[in-house]
Coordinates of all heavy atoms in Angstrom, one line a residue:
M1 N -170.2 -108.2 -210.1 CA -171.1 -109.4 -210.2 C -172.4 -109.0 -210.7 O -173.1 -109.7 -211.4 CB -171.2 -110.0 -208.8 CG -171.4 -111.5 -208.8 SD -170.2 -112.4 -209.8 CE -170.8 -114.1 -209.6
S2 N -172.9 -107.8 -210.4 CA -174.2 -107.4 -210.8 C -174.3 -107.2 -212.3 O -175.3 -107.1 -212.9 CB -174.5 -106.0 -210.1 OG -173.6 -105.1 -210.4
R3 N -173.1 -107.1 -213.0 CA -173.1 -106.9 -214.4 C -173.5 -108.2 -215.1 O -173.8 -108.2 -216.3 CB -171.7 -106.4 -214.9 CG -171.5 -105.0 -214.5 CD -170.1 -104.5 -215.0 NE -170.1 -104.3 -216.4 CZ -169.0 -104.1 -217.1 NH1 -167.9 -104.0 -216.5 NH2 -169.1 -103.9 -218.4
Y4 N -173.3 -109.3 -214.4 CA -173.7 -110.6 -215.0 C -175.2 -110.8 -215.1 O -175.9 -110.4 -214.2 CB -173.0 -111.7 -214.2 CG -171.5 -111.8 -214.4 CD1 -170.7 -111.0 -213.8 CD2 -171.0 -112.8 -215.3 CE1 -169.3 -111.1 -214.0 CE2 -169.7 -112.8 -215.5 CZ -168.8 -112.0 -214.8 OH -167.5 -112.1 -215.0
S5 N -175.6 -111.4 -216.2 CA -177.0 -111.5 -216.3 C -177.6 -112.6 -215.4 O -176.8 -113.4 -214.9 CB -177.4 -111.8 -217.8 OG -177.0 -113.2 -218.1
K6 N -178.9 -112.6 -215.2 CA -179.5 -113.4 -214.2 C -179.3 -114.9 -214.5 O -179.1 -115.7 -213.7 CB -181.0 -113.2 -214.2 CG -181.4 -112.2 -213.1 CD -182.9 -111.9 -213.2 CE -183.3 -111.1 -214.5 NZ -184.7 -111.0 -214.7
D7 N -179.3 -115.2 -215.8 CA -179.2 -116.6 -216.2 C -177.7 -117.0 -216.6 O -177.4 -117.9 -217.3 CB -180.1 -117.0 -217.3 CG -180.0 -116.0 -218.5 OD1 -179.3 -115.0 -218.3 OD2 -180.5 -116.3 -219.6
W8 N -176.8 -116.2 -216.0 CA -175.4 -116.4 -216.3 C -174.9 -117.8 -216.0 O -174.2 -118.4 -216.8 CB -174.5 -115.4 -215.5 CG -173.1 -115.8 -215.6 CD1 -172.3 -116.1 -214.5 CD2 -172.2 -115.8 -216.7 NE1 -171.0 -116.4 -215.0 CE2 -170.9 -116.2 -216.3 CE3 -172.5 -115.6 -218.1 CZ2 -169.9 -116.4 -217.2 CZ3 -171.4 -115.7 -219.0 CH2 -170.1 -116.1 -218.6
N9 N -175.4 -118.4 -214.9 CA -175.0 -119.7 -214.5 C -175.4 -120.7 -215.6 O -174.7 -121.7 -215.9 CB -175.6 -120.1 -213.2 CG -174.8 -119.6 -212.0 OD1 -173.6 -119.3 -212.2 ND2 -175.4 -119.4 -210.9
K10 N -176.6 -120.5 -216.1 CA -177.1 -121.4 -217.2 C -176.3 -121.2 -218.4 O -175.9 -122.2 -219.1 CB -178.6 -121.0 -217.5 CG -179.5 -122.2 -217.6 CD -180.9 -121.8 -217.5 CE -181.4 -121.5 -218.9 NZ -182.8 -120.9 -218.8
I11 N -176.0 -120.0 -218.8 CA -175.2 -119.7 -220.0 C -173.8 -120.3 -219.8 O -173.3 -121.0 -220.7 CB -175.1 -118.2 -220.2 CG1 -176.5 -117.6 -220.5 CG2 -174.1 -117.9 -221.3 CD1 -176.5 -116.1 -220.4
A12 N -173.2 -120.1 -218.7 CA -171.8 -120.6 -218.4 C -171.8 -122.1 -218.5 O -170.9 -122.7 -219.0 CB -171.3 -120.1 -217.1
C13 N -172.8 -122.7 -217.9 CA -172.9 -124.2 -217.9 C -173.0 -124.7 -219.4 O -172.3 -125.7 -219.7 CB -174.1 -124.6 -217.1 SG -174.0 -126.4 -216.7
A14 N -173.7 -124.0 -220.2 CA -173.9 -124.4 -221.6 C -172.6 -124.3 -222.3 O -172.2 -125.2 -223.1 CB -175.0 -123.6 -222.3
I15 N -171.8 -123.3 -222.0 CA -170.5 -123.1 -222.7 C -169.6 -124.2 -222.3 O -168.8 -124.7 -223.1 CB -170.0 -121.7 -222.3 CG1 -170.8 -120.6 -222.8 CG2 -168.5 -121.5 -222.8 CD1 -171.0 -120.5 -224.3
K16 N -169.6 -124.5 -221.0 CA -168.7 -125.6 -220.5 C -169.0 -126.9 -221.1 O -168.2 -127.7 -221.5 CB -168.8 -125.7 -219.0 CG -168.2 -124.5 -218.3 CD -168.5 -124.5 -216.8 CE -168.2 -123.2 -216.1 NZ -168.6 -123.2 -214.7
Q17 N -170.3 -127.2 -221.3 CA -170.8 -128.4 -221.9 C -170.3 -128.5 -223.3 O -169.8 -129.5 -223.8 CB -172.3 -128.6 -221.8 CG -172.7 -129.3 -220.5 CD -174.2 -129.2 -220.2 OE1 -174.9 -128.6 -221.0 NE2 -174.6 -129.8 -219.1
K18 N -170.4 -127.3 -224.0 CA -170.0 -127.3 -225.4 C -168.5 -127.5 -225.5 O -168.1 -128.1 -226.5 CB -170.4 -125.9 -226.0 CG -170.9 -125.9 -227.4 CD -171.4 -124.6 -227.9 CE -170.2 -123.8 -228.5 NZ -170.7 -122.5 -228.9
A19 N -167.8 -127.0 -224.5 CA -166.3 -127.2 -224.6 C -165.9 -128.6 -224.1 O -164.8 -128.9 -223.9 CB -165.7 -126.1 -223.7
D20 N -167.0 -129.4 -223.8 CA -166.7 -130.8 -223.3 C -166.0 -130.8 -221.9 O -165.2 -131.6 -221.6 CB -165.9 -131.6 -224.3 CG -166.1 -133.1 -224.1 OD1 -167.2 -133.5 -223.5 OD2 -165.3 -133.9 -224.5
W21 N -166.2 -129.7 -221.2 CA -165.6 -129.6 -219.8 C -164.1 -129.6 -219.9 O -163.4 -130.1 -219.0 CB -166.2 -130.6 -218.8 CG -167.6 -130.4 -218.6 CD1 -168.7 -131.0 -219.3 CD2 -168.3 -129.5 -217.7 NE1 -169.9 -130.5 -218.8 CE2 -169.7 -129.6 -217.8 CE3 -167.8 -128.7 -216.7 CZ2 -170.6 -128.9 -217.1 CZ3 -168.7 -127.9 -215.9 CH2 -170.1 -128.1 -216.1
K22 N -163.6 -129.0 -221.0 CA -162.1 -128.9 -221.1 C -161.8 -127.4 -221.2 O -162.5 -126.6 -221.9 CB -161.6 -129.7 -222.3 CG -161.6 -131.1 -222.1 CD -161.1 -131.8 -223.3 CE -161.2 -133.3 -223.2 NZ -161.5 -134.0 -224.4
C23 N -160.6 -127.1 -220.7 CA -160.1 -125.7 -220.9 C -159.7 -125.6 -222.3 O -158.9 -126.4 -222.8 CB -158.9 -125.5 -219.9 SG -158.0 -124.0 -220.3
S24 N -160.2 -124.6 -223.0 CA -159.9 -124.4 -224.4 C -158.4 -124.0 -224.6 O -158.0 -123.9 -225.8 CB -160.8 -123.4 -225.0 OG -160.6 -122.2 -224.4
Q25 N -157.7 -123.6 -223.6 CA -156.4 -123.1 -223.7 C -155.4 -124.2 -223.5 O -154.5 -124.5 -224.3 CB -156.2 -122.0 -222.7 CG -155.1 -121.0 -223.1 CD -155.4 -120.3 -224.5 OE1 -156.6 -120.2 -224.8 NE2 -154.4 -120.0 -225.2
C26 N -155.5 -124.9 -222.3 CA -154.5 -126.0 -222.0 C -155.0 -127.4 -222.1 O -154.3 -128.3 -222.0 CB -153.9 -125.7 -220.6 SG -155.1 -126.0 -219.3
G27 N -156.3 -127.5 -222.3 CA -156.9 -128.8 -222.5 C -157.2 -129.6 -221.2 O -157.6 -130.7 -221.3
A28 N -157.0 -128.9 -220.1 CA -157.3 -129.6 -218.8 C -158.7 -130.1 -218.8 O -159.7 -129.4 -219.2 CB -157.0 -128.6 -217.7
D29 N -158.9 -131.3 -218.4 CA -160.2 -132.0 -218.4 C -160.9 -131.9 -217.1 O -160.3 -132.4 -216.1 CB -160.0 -133.4 -218.9 CG -161.3 -134.1 -219.3 OD1 -162.4 -133.6 -218.7 OD2 -161.3 -135.0 -220.1
F30 N -162.0 -131.3 -217.0 CA -162.7 -131.2 -215.7 C -163.9 -132.1 -215.6 O -164.7 -131.9 -214.7 CB -163.1 -129.7 -215.5 CG -162.0 -128.8 -215.3 CD1 -161.3 -128.2 -216.3 CD2 -161.6 -128.6 -214.0 CE1 -160.2 -127.4 -216.1 CE2 -160.5 -127.8 -213.7 CZ -159.8 -127.2 -214.7
K31 N -164.1 -133.0 -216.6 CA -165.3 -133.8 -216.6 C -165.4 -134.7 -215.3 O -166.4 -134.8 -214.7 CB -165.2 -134.7 -217.8 CG -166.5 -134.6 -218.6 CD -166.5 -135.5 -219.8 CE -165.4 -135.1 -220.8 NZ -165.2 -135.9 -221.9
N32 N -164.3 -135.3 -214.9 CA -164.3 -136.2 -213.8 C -163.5 -135.6 -212.6 O -163.2 -136.3 -211.6 CB -163.6 -137.5 -214.2 CG -164.4 -138.1 -215.3 OD1 -165.6 -138.2 -215.3 ND2 -163.7 -138.5 -216.3
K33 N -163.3 -134.3 -212.7 CA -162.5 -133.7 -211.6 C -163.4 -133.0 -210.6 O -164.3 -132.2 -211.0 CB -161.5 -132.6 -212.2 CG -160.1 -133.0 -212.0 CD -159.2 -131.9 -212.5 CE -158.0 -132.5 -213.3 NZ -157.3 -131.5 -214.0
S34 N -163.2 -133.3 -209.3 CA -163.9 -132.4 -208.4 C -163.0 -131.2 -208.1 O -161.9 -131.2 -208.6 CB -164.1 -133.2 -207.1 OG -162.9 -133.8 -206.7
S35 N -163.6 -130.3 -207.4 CA -162.9 -129.0 -207.2 C -161.6 -129.3 -206.4 O -161.7 -129.4 -205.2 CB -163.8 -128.0 -206.6 OG -164.4 -128.5 -205.5
R36 N -160.5 -129.4 -207.0 CA -159.3 -129.6 -206.3 C -158.4 -128.3 -206.4 O -157.3 -128.4 -207.0 CB -158.5 -130.8 -206.8 CG -157.7 -131.5 -205.7 CD -156.8 -132.5 -206.3 NE -157.3 -133.8 -206.5 CZ -156.8 -134.8 -207.3 NH1 -155.7 -134.5 -208.0 NH2 -157.3 -135.9 -207.4
G37 N -159.0 -127.2 -206.0 CA -158.2 -126.0 -206.2 C -158.3 -125.4 -207.6 O -158.0 -124.2 -207.8
S38 N -158.7 -126.2 -208.5 CA -158.9 -125.6 -209.9 C -160.3 -125.9 -210.4 O -160.9 -126.9 -210.0 CB -157.9 -126.3 -210.8 OG -158.1 -127.7 -210.9
C39 N -160.8 -125.1 -211.2 CA -162.1 -125.3 -211.7 C -162.2 -124.7 -213.1 O -161.3 -123.9 -213.6 CB -163.1 -124.6 -210.8 SG -162.9 -122.9 -210.6
L40 N -163.3 -125.0 -213.8 CA -163.5 -124.5 -215.1 C -164.3 -123.2 -215.1 O -165.3 -123.2 -214.4 CB -164.2 -125.6 -216.0 CG -164.2 -125.3 -217.5 CD1 -162.8 -125.3 -218.1 CD2 -165.0 -126.4 -218.2
Q41 N -163.9 -122.2 -215.7 CA -164.6 -121.0 -215.7 C -164.9 -120.5 -217.1 O -164.4 -121.1 -218.1 CB -163.8 -119.9 -215.0 CG -163.4 -120.3 -213.6 CD -162.5 -119.4 -212.9 OE1 -161.7 -118.6 -213.5 NE2 -162.5 -119.4 -211.6
V42 N -165.8 -119.5 -217.3 CA -166.1 -119.0 -218.6 C -165.6 -117.6 -218.7 O -165.9 -116.7 -217.8 CB -167.6 -119.1 -218.8 CG1 -168.0 -118.5 -220.2 CG2 -168.1 -120.6 -218.8
H43 N -164.9 -117.3 -219.8 CA -164.3 -116.0 -220.0 C -165.0 -115.3 -221.1 O -165.4 -115.9 -222.1 CB -162.8 -116.2 -220.3 CG -162.1 -115.0 -220.6 ND1 -161.9 -113.9 -219.8 CD2 -161.5 -114.6 -221.8 CE1 -161.2 -112.9 -220.4 NE2 -161.0 -113.3 -221.6
H44 N -165.1 -113.9 -220.9 CA -165.6 -113.1 -222.0 C -164.4 -112.5 -222.8 O -163.6 -111.8 -222.2 CB -166.4 -111.9 -221.4 CG -167.6 -112.3 -220.7 ND1 -167.7 -112.8 -219.4 CD2 -168.9 -112.3 -221.1 CE1 -168.9 -113.1 -219.1 NE2 -169.7 -112.8 -220.1
W45 N -164.3 -112.8 -224.0 CA -163.2 -112.3 -224.9 C -163.1 -110.8 -224.8 O -162.0 -110.3 -224.7 CB -163.4 -112.8 -226.3 CG -163.0 -114.2 -226.6 CD1 -163.8 -115.1 -227.1 CD2 -161.8 -114.9 -226.3 NE1 -163.2 -116.3 -227.2 CE2 -161.9 -116.2 -226.7 CE3 -160.6 -114.5 -225.7 CZ2 -160.9 -117.1 -226.6 CZ3 -159.5 -115.4 -225.6 CH2 -159.7 -116.7 -226.0
N46 N -164.2 -110.2 -224.9 CA -164.2 -108.7 -225.0 C -164.3 -108.1 -223.6 O -164.4 -106.9 -223.4 CB -165.2 -108.1 -225.9 CG -166.6 -108.5 -225.4 OD1 -166.8 -109.0 -224.4 ND2 -167.6 -108.2 -226.3
R47 N -164.3 -109.0 -222.6 CA -164.3 -108.5 -221.2 C -165.6 -107.7 -220.8 O -165.6 -106.9 -219.9 CB -163.1 -107.7 -220.8 CG -161.8 -108.5 -221.2 CD -160.7 -108.2 -220.2 NE -159.5 -108.9 -220.7 CZ -158.4 -108.7 -220.1 NH1 -158.3 -107.9 -219.0 NH2 -157.3 -109.4 -220.5
I48 N -166.6 -107.9 -221.6 CA -167.9 -107.2 -221.3 C -168.8 -108.3 -220.8 O -169.3 -109.1 -221.5 CB -168.4 -106.5 -222.5 CG1 -167.4 -105.5 -223.0 CG2 -169.8 -105.9 -222.2 CD1 -167.8 -104.9 -224.4
P49 N -169.1 -108.3 -219.5 CA -169.9 -109.4 -218.9 C -171.3 -109.4 -219.4 O -172.0 -110.5 -219.3 CB -169.9 -109.1 -217.4 CG -168.7 -108.2 -217.2 CD -168.6 -107.4 -218.4
E50 N -171.8 -108.3 -219.9 CA -173.1 -108.3 -220.5 C -173.2 -109.0 -221.8 O -174.3 -109.3 -222.3 CB -173.7 -106.9 -220.6 CG -173.9 -106.2 -219.3 CD -172.7 -105.3 -219.0 OE1 -171.5 -105.6 -219.4 OE2 -172.8 -104.4 -218.2
D51 N -172.1 -109.2 -222.5 CA -172.1 -109.7 -223.8 C -172.0 -111.2 -223.7 O -170.9 -111.8 -223.7 CB -170.9 -109.1 -224.6 CG -171.0 -109.5 -226.1 OD1 -171.8 -110.4 -226.4 OD2 -170.2 -108.9 -226.8
N52 N -173.1 -111.9 -223.7 CA -173.2 -113.3 -223.6 C -173.4 -114.1 -224.9 O -173.9 -115.2 -224.9 CB -174.2 -113.7 -222.5 CG -173.8 -113.2 -221.2 OD1 -172.6 -113.3 -220.8 ND2 -174.8 -112.8 -220.4
R53 N -173.0 -113.5 -226.0 CA -173.1 -114.2 -227.2 C -172.1 -115.4 -227.2 O -171.0 -115.2 -226.6 CB -172.7 -113.3 -228.4 CG -173.7 -112.2 -228.7 CD -173.2 -111.2 -229.7 NE -172.0 -110.6 -229.2 CZ -171.0 -110.2 -230.0 NH1 -171.1 -110.2 -231.2 NH2 -169.9 -109.6 -229.4
P54 N -172.5 -116.5 -227.7 CA -171.6 -117.7 -227.6 C -170.2 -117.4 -228.2 O -169.2 -118.0 -227.7 CB -172.3 -118.7 -228.5 CG -173.8 -118.3 -228.5 CD -173.8 -116.8 -228.4
E55 N -170.1 -116.6 -229.2 CA -168.8 -116.3 -229.8 C -167.9 -115.4 -228.9 O -166.8 -115.3 -229.1 CB -168.9 -115.8 -231.2 CG -169.6 -114.4 -231.2 CD -171.1 -114.6 -231.6 OE1 -171.7 -115.5 -231.0 OE2 -171.6 -113.8 -232.3
N56 N -168.5 -114.9 -227.9 CA -167.8 -114.0 -226.9 C -167.3 -114.8 -225.7 O -166.6 -114.3 -224.9 CB -168.6 -112.8 -226.5 CG -167.8 -111.9 -225.7 OD1 -166.6 -111.6 -226.0 ND2 -168.4 -111.4 -224.6
L57 N -167.8 -116.1 -225.6 CA -167.5 -116.8 -224.4 C -166.6 -118.0 -224.7 O -166.7 -118.7 -225.7 CB -168.8 -117.3 -223.8 CG -169.8 -116.2 -223.4 CD1 -171.2 -116.8 -223.1 CD2 -169.3 -115.4 -222.3
V58 N -165.7 -118.3 -223.7 CA -164.8 -119.5 -223.9 C -164.6 -120.1 -222.5 O -164.6 -119.4 -221.5 CB -163.5 -119.0 -224.5 CG1 -162.8 -118.0 -223.6 CG2 -162.6 -120.2 -224.8
A59 N -164.5 -121.4 -222.5 CA -164.2 -122.1 -221.2 C -162.7 -122.2 -221.0 O -162.0 -122.6 -221.8 CB -164.8 -123.5 -221.3
L60 N -162.4 -121.7 -219.8 CA -161.0 -121.7 -219.4 C -160.8 -122.2 -218.0 O -161.7 -122.0 -217.1 CB -160.4 -120.3 -219.4 CG -160.2 -119.5 -220.7 CD1 -159.8 -118.1 -220.5 CD2 -159.2 -120.2 -221.6
C61 N -159.8 -123.0 -217.7 CA -159.5 -123.4 -216.3 C -159.1 -122.1 -215.6 O -158.7 -121.1 -216.2 CB -158.4 -124.4 -216.2 SG -156.8 -123.8 -216.6
N62 N -159.2 -122.1 -214.2 CA -159.0 -120.9 -213.5 C -157.6 -120.4 -213.7 O -157.3 -119.2 -213.5 CB -159.4 -121.1 -212.0 CG -158.6 -122.1 -211.3 OD1 -158.1 -123.1 -212.0 ND2 -158.4 -122.0 -210.1
I63 N -156.6 -121.3 -213.9 CA -155.2 -120.9 -214.1 C -155.1 -120.1 -215.4 O -154.5 -119.0 -215.4 CB -154.3 -122.1 -214.1 CG1 -154.4 -122.8 -212.7 CG2 -152.9 -121.7 -214.5 CD1 -154.0 -124.3 -212.8
C64 N -155.6 -120.7 -216.5 CA -155.5 -119.9 -217.8 C -156.3 -118.7 -217.7 O -156.0 -117.6 -218.3 CB -156.0 -120.8 -218.9 SG -155.0 -122.2 -219.3
H65 N -157.5 -118.7 -217.0 CA -158.3 -117.5 -216.9 C -157.6 -116.4 -216.2 O -157.6 -115.3 -216.7 CB -159.6 -117.9 -216.1 CG -160.7 -116.9 -216.3 ND1 -161.8 -117.0 -215.6 CD2 -160.8 -115.8 -217.1 CE1 -162.6 -116.0 -215.9 NE2 -162.0 -115.2 -216.8
L66 N -156.9 -116.8 -215.2 CA -156.1 -115.8 -214.4 C -155.0 -115.1 -215.3 O -154.8 -113.9 -215.3 CB -155.4 -116.5 -213.2 CG -155.4 -115.6 -212.0 CD1 -156.8 -115.5 -211.4 CD2 -154.5 -116.3 -211.0
K67 N -154.4 -116.0 -216.2 CA -153.4 -115.4 -217.1 C -154.0 -114.4 -218.0 O -153.3 -113.4 -218.3 CB -152.8 -116.6 -217.9 CG -151.7 -117.4 -217.1 CD -151.1 -118.4 -218.0 CE -150.5 -119.5 -217.2 NZ -150.3 -120.8 -218.0
Y68 N -155.2 -114.6 -218.4 CA -155.8 -113.7 -219.4 C -156.1 -112.4 -218.7 O -156.1 -111.3 -219.4 CB -157.1 -114.3 -219.9 CG -156.9 -115.1 -221.2 CD1 -156.7 -116.4 -221.1 CD2 -156.8 -114.4 -222.4 CE1 -156.5 -117.2 -222.2 CE2 -156.6 -115.1 -223.5 CZ -156.5 -116.5 -223.5 OH -156.2 -117.2 -224.6
H69 N -156.4 -112.4 -217.4 CA -156.7 -111.2 -216.8 C -155.5 -110.5 -216.1 O -155.6 -109.5 -215.5 CB -157.8 -111.4 -215.7 CG -159.1 -111.7 -216.3 ND1 -160.0 -110.6 -216.5 CD2 -159.7 -112.8 -216.8 CE1 -161.1 -111.1 -217.1 NE2 -161.0 -112.4 -217.2
R70 N -154.4 -111.2 -216.2 CA -153.2 -110.6 -215.6 C -152.2 -110.2 -216.6 O -152.0 -110.9 -217.6 CB -152.6 -111.8 -214.7 CG -151.8 -111.2 -213.5 CD -151.1 -112.4 -212.9 NE -151.7 -112.9 -211.7 CZ -151.5 -114.0 -211.1 NH1 -150.7 -114.9 -211.7 NH2 -152.1 -114.4 -210.0
G71 N -151.6 -109.1 -216.4 CA -150.5 -108.7 -217.3 C -150.9 -108.2 -218.7 O -150.1 -107.9 -219.5
G72 N -152.2 -108.2 -218.9 CA -152.7 -107.7 -220.2 C -152.2 -108.5 -221.4 O -152.0 -108.0 -222.5
K73 N -151.9 -109.8 -221.2 CA -151.4 -110.6 -222.3 C -152.5 -111.0 -223.3 O -152.2 -111.3 -224.4 CB -150.7 -111.9 -221.7 CG -149.3 -111.6 -221.2 CD -148.3 -112.6 -221.8 CE -146.9 -112.1 -221.7 NZ -146.0 -113.1 -221.4
S74 N -153.7 -110.9 -222.8 CA -154.7 -111.3 -223.7 C -155.0 -110.1 -224.7 O -155.1 -109.0 -224.3 CB -156.0 -111.6 -223.0 OG -156.7 -110.4 -222.7
N75 N -154.9 -110.4 -225.9 CA -155.2 -109.3 -226.9 C -156.3 -109.8 -227.8 O -156.7 -110.9 -227.8 CB -153.9 -108.8 -227.6 CG -153.3 -110.0 -228.3 OD1 -153.9 -110.9 -228.9 ND2 -152.0 -110.1 -228.3
I76 N -156.7 -108.8 -228.6 CA -157.9 -109.1 -229.5 C -157.5 -110.2 -230.5 O -158.3 -111.1 -230.8 CB -158.3 -107.9 -230.2 CG1 -159.1 -107.0 -229.1 CG2 -159.3 -108.2 -231.3 CD1 -159.1 -105.5 -229.6
L77 N -156.2 -110.3 -230.9 CA -155.8 -111.3 -231.8 C -156.1 -112.7 -231.4 O -156.6 -113.5 -232.1 CB -154.3 -111.1 -232.1 CG -154.0 -110.3 -233.4 CD1 -152.5 -110.1 -233.5 CD2 -154.6 -110.9 -234.6
I78 N -155.7 -113.0 -230.1 CA -155.9 -114.3 -229.6 C -157.4 -114.7 -229.6 O -157.8 -115.7 -230.1 CB -155.4 -114.4 -228.2 CG1 -153.9 -114.3 -228.2 CG2 -155.8 -115.8 -227.5 CD1 -153.2 -114.1 -226.8
G79 N -158.2 -113.7 -229.2 CA -159.7 -113.9 -229.2 C -160.2 -114.2 -230.6 O -161.0 -115.1 -230.8
Q80 N -159.7 -113.4 -231.6 CA -160.2 -113.6 -232.9 C -159.8 -115.0 -233.5 O -160.6 -115.6 -234.2 CB -159.7 -112.5 -233.8 CG -160.4 -111.2 -233.6 CD -159.8 -110.0 -234.3 OE1 -158.7 -110.1 -234.8 NE2 -160.6 -109.0 -234.5
L81 N -158.6 -115.4 -233.2 CA -158.2 -116.7 -233.6 C -159.1 -117.8 -233.1 O -159.5 -118.6 -233.9 CB -156.7 -117.0 -233.1 CG -155.6 -116.3 -233.9 CD1 -154.3 -116.6 -233.3 CD2 -155.6 -116.9 -235.4
S82 N -159.4 -117.7 -231.8 CA -160.3 -118.7 -231.2 C -161.7 -118.7 -231.8 O -162.4 -119.6 -231.8 CB -160.2 -118.6 -229.7 OG -159.0 -118.9 -229.3
L83 N -162.1 -117.5 -232.1 CA -163.5 -117.3 -232.6 C -163.6 -118.1 -233.9 O -164.7 -118.5 -234.3 CB -163.8 -115.9 -232.9 CG -163.9 -115.0 -231.6 CD1 -164.3 -113.6 -232.0 CD2 -164.9 -115.6 -230.6
N84 N -162.5 -118.3 -234.6 CA -162.6 -119.0 -235.9 C -162.6 -120.5 -235.8 O -162.8 -121.2 -236.8 CB -161.5 -118.6 -236.8 CG -161.6 -117.1 -237.2 OD1 -162.7 -116.6 -237.3 ND2 -160.5 -116.4 -237.4
L85 N -162.4 -121.0 -234.6 CA -162.3 -122.4 -234.4 C -163.7 -123.1 -234.6 O -164.7 -122.5 -234.2 CB -161.8 -122.8 -233.0 CG -160.4 -122.5 -232.7 CD1 -160.0 -122.7 -231.3 CD2 -159.5 -123.3 -233.6
Ligands
ZN1 ZN1 -156.2 -124.1 -218.8
ZN2 ZN1 -162.4 -113.6 -217.8

């Protein structure tokens, strides 16, 4: 947690707003959803929490986010594809 910058909440909020409060992976809409076990989170493509460049950040629901961090399925290719969006 200490690796995250002080204004991380602000940064993450801006990313979510930019993503229109939708998971960029599955499209789950969190605009009108209260926390019902799922929430929108912000993921670092390169997994470096200090790297808060907008192109390194993506809004993911906690389910998709978990998938990225589990089993090593996330590779650089997926990240690069999304960076071009
Ligand atoms: Zn999702
Ligand atoms: Zn992540």
Side-chain angles (χ1 to χ4, degrees):
M1 214 46 184
S2 57
R3 290 180 73 190
Y4 286 81
S5 72
K6 268 179 287 171
D7 53 350
W8 168 244
N9 280 337
K10 225 166 88 185
I11 295 165
C13 197
I15 297 297
K16 291 173 195 175
Q17 268 167 2
K18 217 175 92 183
D20 203 24
W21 296 92
K22 282 179 186 145
C23 172
S24 64
Q25 207 59 31
C26 71
D29 193 334
F30 288 88
K31 235 179 294 176
N32 301 312
K33 244 184 224 172
S34 51
S35 51
R36 210 193 271 164
S38 61
C39 61
L40 194 62
Q41 302 173 337
V42 176
H43 174 64
H44 296 80
W45 283 125
N46 61 10
R47 310 214 182 175
I48 300 171
E50 292 95 337
D51 189 348
N52 292 323
R53 290 171 300 153
E55 61 264 41
N56 186 42
L57 300 169
V58 64
L60 292 174
C61 70
N62 61 332
I63 295 155
C64 292
H65 196 186
L66 217 70
K67 280 185 203 160
Y68 269 95
H69 284 268
R70 207 189 259 162
K73 279 232 161 140
S74 84
N75 54 41
I76 287 161
L77 263 175
I78 293 169
Q80 282 174 342
L81 280 174
S82 293
L83 293 184
N84 294 329
L85 288 174

